[in-house]
Amino acid sequence: MNKYRSHNCNELRKSDVGSKVFLSGWINKKRDHGNLLFLDLRDNYGITQCIIEKENSKFDFLEKMQLETVIKIEGKVVNRSSETINKDIETGEIEVAIEKFEVLGTCKELPLPVFSNQEYAEEIRLKYRFLDLRRKKIHENIILRSKVISFIRSEMNKFGFLEYQTPILTSSSPEGARDFLVPSRLNPGKFYALPQAPQQFKQLIMVSGFDKYFQIAPCFRDEDARADRSPGEFYQLDLEMSFVEQEDVFNVVEKLLVSTFKRFSKKKLMFDKFPKISYADSLLQYGSDKPDLRNPLIIKDITEIFTRADVSFDIFKKLVKSGSRVRCIITKDTKDKPRSFFDGIDKWAKEQGASGMAYFTFEKDKEISGKGPVGKFFSKAALLELMKQTGANVGDSIFFACNKLKELERITSLARDKIAKELDLIDDNTFAFCWVVDYPMFEEDEQTKKIKFSHNPFSMPQGDSDKINFDKPLEILAYQYDIVCNGIELSSGAIRNHKPDLMYKLFSIAGYNQKQVDEKFSGMINALSFGAPPHGGIAPGIDRIVMLLANEKNIREVTMFPMNQNAQDLMMNAPSEVNDEQLKELSLSLKTKK
RNA sequence: GGGGGUGUAGCUCAGUUGGUUAGAGCGAUCGCCUGUCACGCGAUAGGUCGAGGGUUCGAGUCCCUUCACUCCCGCCA
């Protein structure tokens, strides 16, 4: 038995009554009755109520003790009478009668209370993160994160994957996010970059013949933060496999995510076998490549209707003639919804920067009619055709918008979400995973109109490499895929291009000549020409998985020591200035000096 | 880089149309209280109303500038 405790604060039960124990922990809460003091002692494991009476010579001293002081108490476990049992804590049937105690760590007046369910400003939570982390909810989130990570490690091992570390100091890459740079002392004027992901290394691990790799890998990207995106660093379950097709990667990841989510959440899984949706279909049906499949609403393209002579909705007809499209969302059996519901959506759409959402409800008295402000513009035949194309029935309503494709996708995607929330169609107690597949290899840069890689330049294009039509690069699809859960992008991956010739060809379309590719990706391209196996992988985001499991909307709630939005660590004061000596060693001088 | 929100006691917040001495709960300090588990009761202390400037007889409140935090857009293969 060690000198601090015989038991932890969640261990004592009725069967321990009568035994003498030592407990150490934090004073979570005191309830002072003047001649009788209740003191809740807390540690990582739980809470034990301790009591002391006036007769004890230590009473006055203990009565004055600050909350969050760390103490060791010595005493006897006693039974609680039935009416004083606390069912909310696991040790609630007993309490410890304090005989002696000792202060192990004093505590100043608290800048933020630990025992409270109040919300605090993040600034103060991050500055005193060690106090914040004592609080129940976040303490449990961090423990959950640890358990999820160990579970994933053990599952991956069971699947035959081995974990390998890859360098943290590596080279800057031209594609993707902004790099964090680290100046080299031994190589003046040169810089390392922190890896945005171990992308090239994991492929090199495959070329090195290791077959199945994984790593809980830190990734560093110098981009602006969001609620679900830490500035600076985050973690991925990075994995890669040799001699595999897309389907092999899917099988591993599906098994892993299903077992992880079933183990760590009570929510239902909508699919054990994740549906696959092509990128093109996803944009059409959901307006986004991150579809929330809990939402049953589907977007349909009804542009053709607006070319009919018996449709007189002239504003839309004119826009359609100049290249805009019309897309709609059907809501089931909404004929009795109040006018305010429909106008609310229209008003909301305008607030989102759209020109609004038109709507009407399909009604039938003797004949089909469209009830609503713009229903009158459609003939009976047009209405019937519209119902046929969209699957709408009498009593259903239609919301539609007209715009250029990209903007139309944006607004219908938002509307799909908004309408579903208004109608309460999304089951918050469900996880709906899906694969988004068949991403295009290239896309056109909106500003420069140049062709660029749409995702990962190392992805394998689909089809026989002899037969790919390189003259129409925007039509080339890649074996590139994403996992989406409840509208959140969890990860993306690909079957990689392991053929150097094909790689040069694809890079040339994106504007890199052979020499540039050799320079920028020397490690990779060199390796691929020495017998590279076909391989592929994926990298699910650990932080977002834990967010979903912990039901948190903010990534900082599942991160132990996060930085704030300006990428500062308020507790450690990072980043900080360095002295001239350090700069000199690194051959650096600062342009801006305060 | 741009847009929105917030900023008042250690913490969480209220503060009316611009009006005289800026409030509450929790916490702190002191006192009372032997069965609480958000214990209860009483008292006391605690404020550069984020900062600076302006309008006004008078500003927490209105205007301008600025700072911090946060959410979003851009960005993030």
Side-chain angles (χ1 to χ4, degrees):
Chain A
M1 200 191 325
N2 91 3
K3 70 176 182 178
Y4 296 115
R5 60 187 177 195
S6 58
H7 299 78
N8 70 41
C9 292
N10 200 32
E11 232 177 331
L12 295 170
R13 296 292 181 272
K14 215 163 185 161
S15 56
D16 297 300
V17 168
S19 52
K20 200 162 181 183
V21 296
F22 312 145
L23 298 178
S24 287
W26 289 260
I27 301 175
N28 192 55
K29 188 70 189 166
K30 285 184 300 188
R31 289 174 295 283
D32 188 353
H33 291 237
N35 291 310
L36 171 71
L37 172 69
F38 295 96
L39 183 154
D40 292 337
L41 197 66
R42 183 197 74 238
D43 66 10
N44 178 62
Y45 308 98
I47 285 176
T48 303
Q49 175 167 288
C50 305
I51 55 166
I52 186 166
E53 300 194 358
K54 189 76 174 176
E55 293 86 67
N56 192 311
S57 62
K58 300 280 188 183
F59 184 90
D60 290 342
F61 193 34
L62 199 49
E63 195 186 24
K64 298 277 174 274
M65 200 62 58
Q66 271 275 1
L67 296 185
E68 294 305 308
T69 302
V70 178
I71 61 171
K72 172 192 168 187
I73 63 115
E74 196 174 330
K76 198 174 262 179
V77 183
V78 296
N79 207 12
R80 290 207 212 182
S81 63
S82 60
E83 67 277 10
T84 60
I85 285 174
N86 183 353
K87 293 195 191 77
D88 298 332
I89 56 175
E90 291 185 60
T91 60
E93 287 192 315
I94 57 91
E95 60 199 9
V96 175
I98 298 171
E99 287 161 9
K100 292 184 196 163
F101 88 100
E102 187 186 332
V103 174
L104 301 177
T106 58
C107 181
K108 298 196 287 189
E109 190 177 338
L110 295 165
L112 68 104
V114 171
F115 177 75
S116 168
N117 292 321
Q118 272 176 10
E119 304 267 353
Y120 305 118
E122 292 229 54
E123 194 170 0
I124 198 146
R125 292 182 60 195
L126 294 182
K127 183 164 181 195
Y128 297 97
R129 191 60 158 179
F130 48 89
L131 290 178
D132 189 39
L133 286 166
R134 290 181 196 169
R135 297 167 67 223
K136 194 172 163 59
K137 177 66 173 136
I138 188 161
H139 199 85
E140 284 171 356
N141 283 353
I142 298 298
I143 289 172
L144 172 70
R145 182 186 177 114
S146 172
K147 288 183 172 167
V148 167
I149 289 175
S150 352
F151 180 77
I152 288 174
R153 280 210 164 92
S154 112
E155 289 292 290
M156 292 305 287
N157 286 145
K158 278 187 211 156
F159 293 144
F161 287 76
L162 296 178
E163 184 164 13
Y164 304 101
Q165 275 80 53
T166 51
I168 300 298
L169 294 176
T170 182
S171 64
S172 178
S173 65
E175 288 285 316
R178 198 175 292 116
D179 283 316
F180 278 102
L181 297 176
V182 180
S184 166
R185 176 178 59 86
L186 294 174
N187 304 276
K190 293 189 175 176
F191 292 82
Y192 303 96
L194 306 184
Q196 295 181 23
Q199 180 63 38
Q200 294 191 58
F201 286 111
K202 70 172 171 177
Q203 293 192 238
L204 291 163
I205 289 170
M206 294 301 99
V207 178
S208 308
F210 288 101
D211 206 75
K212 285 181 183 164
Y213 145 91
F214 87 100
Q215 179 180 201
I216 309 292
C219 303
F220 305 91
R221 294 175 194 177
D222 188 3
E223 297 294 351
D224 290 354
R226 288 288 182 278
D228 63 350
R229 212 166 76 198
S230 289
E233 50 190 85
F234 61 99
Y235 282 81
Q236 287 184 338
L237 164 61
D238 196 39
L239 69 95
E240 196 75 5
M241 313 159 74
S242 283
F243 306 109
V244 290
E245 297 175 89
Q246 191 164 285
E247 208 58 33
D248 299 305
V249 177
F250 289 4
N251 282 334
V252 167
V253 174
E254 274 182 26
K255 266 190 216 155
L256 177 78
L257 289 178
V258 167
S259 63
T260 305
F261 276 71
K262 281 190 173 166
R263 169 106 171 209
F264 292 103
S265 178
K266 289 191 179 76
K267 294 187 183 184
K268 299 183 294 279
L269 290 186
M270 193 173 255
F271 315 104
D272 276 6
K273 186 81 191 157
F274 303 168
K276 297 183 189 70
I277 302 162
S278 76
Y279 176 82
D281 283 350
S282 185
L283 282 180
L284 174 61
Q285 293 174 6
Y286 309 104
S288 156
D289 63 349
K290 298 193 277 285
D292 184 349
L293 295 193
R294 293 174 306 172
N295 179 346
L297 301 176
I298 303 278
I299 300 163
K300 294 243 158 75
D301 194 302
I302 50 168
T303 309
E304 296 314 307
I305 297 284
F306 291 84
T307 58
R308 290 166 66 111
D310 59 350
V311 171
S312 54
F313 199 161
D314 291 334
I315 312 166
F316 278 23
K317 291 186 85 163
K318 213 171 174 181
L319 287 167
V320 164
K321 263 186 194 152
S322 63
S324 285
R325 302 198 67 83
V326 185
R327 286 182 179 176
C328 71
I329 292 170
I330 302 290
T331 57
K332 289 285 163 201
D333 197 24
T334 39
K335 64 176 186 305
D336 296 327
K337 283 275 164 191
R339 176 77 184 255
S340 60
F341 162 70
F342 297 97
D343 285 344
I345 299 292
D346 181 42
K347 188 174 164 230
W348 163 87
K350 287 190 174 104
E351 283 164 9
Q352 304 307 307
S355 41
M357 286 214 103
Y359 64 84
F360 61 83
T361 297
F362 294 100
E363 295 213 323
K364 188 172 184 180
D365 194 357
K366 276 175 188 146
E367 283 176 323
I368 293 286
S369 66
K371 182 195 162 203
V374 299
K376 59 179 182 282
F377 295 126
F378 298 83
S379 73
K380 288 168 202 80
L383 288 173
L384 284 168
E385 178 58 23
L386 201 48
M387 290 170 78
K388 195 177 141 200
Q389 284 188 19
T390 60
N393 296 313
V394 171
D396 297 349
S397 309
I398 181 167
F399 290 88
F400 55 107
C402 178
N403 214 318
K404 298 283 187 210
L405 188 56
K406 264 221 143 128
E407 177 57 21
L408 183 61
E409 281 167 353
R410 187 185 75 86
I411 195 66
T412 49
S413 169
L414 288 173
R416 186 176 162 266
D417 201 43
K418 172 72 178 172
I419 294 168
K421 279 185 181 139
E422 292 281 320
L423 295 172
D424 198 22
L425 299 176
I426 296 175
D427 179 2
D428 207 30
N429 234 349
T430 300
F431 291 118
F433 284 93
C434 65
W435 292 101
V436 178
V437 299
D438 301 336
Y439 274 79
M441 188 84 215
F442 297 101
E443 65 187 11
E444 197 177 55
D445 190 299
E446 277 183 65
Q447 272 129 45
T448 62
K449 299 288 170 197
K450 282 183 184 158
I451 302 286
K452 61 174 193 181
F453 288 109
S454 69
H455 277 74
N456 186 330
F458 304 128
S459 298
M460 182 68 108
Q462 293 188 16
D464 197 330
S465 54
D466 303 333
K467 291 176 189 153
I468 295 172
N469 185 355
F470 293 104
D471 298 333
K472 290 186 174 171
L474 292 176
E475 289 175 12
I476 302 172
L477 297 180
Y479 287 113
Q480 165 87 41
Y481 35 83
D482 273 20
I483 295 180
V484 175
C485 180
N486 295 1
I488 293 167
E489 184 188 326
L490 275 190
S491 62
S492 62
I495 296 299
R496 320 298 174 187
N497 182 353
H498 66 286
K499 300 174 176 173
D501 292 348
L502 183 55
M503 184 95 77
Y504 284 127
K505 180 78 201 163
L506 295 168
F507 266 102
S508 74
I509 292 170
Y512 295 86
N513 63 33
Q514 183 155 347
K515 196 175 153 226
Q516 287 169 314
V517 176
D518 287 343
E519 268 170 23
K520 293 290 183 189
F521 305 100
S522 59
M524 273 287 296
I525 205 84
N526 198 21
L528 294 181
S529 48
F530 285 95
H535 61 284
I538 194 163
I542 294 286
D543 312 80
R544 287 191 184 165
I545 288 173
V546 180
M547 277 171 79
L548 284 170
L549 291 171
N551 207 19
E552 292 287 0
K553 297 238 174 330
N554 194 301
I555 199 163
R556 292 185 295 275
E557 299 301 328
V558 297
T559 308
M560 214 162 194
F561 299 112
M563 296 197 285
N564 70 7
Q565 196 167 40
N566 293 321
Q568 297 159 340
D569 182 335
L570 300 176
M571 191 175 55
M572 305 297 279
N573 282 323
S576 58
E577 288 171 5
V578 296
N579 63 41
D580 291 342
E581 194 53 37
Q582 288 172 294
L583 289 173
K584 200 177 159 196
E585 273 192 331
L586 295 166
S587 312
L588 294 178
S589 68
L590 297 182
K591 233 176 172 176
T592 50
K593 204 130 198 188
K594 280 181 186 173

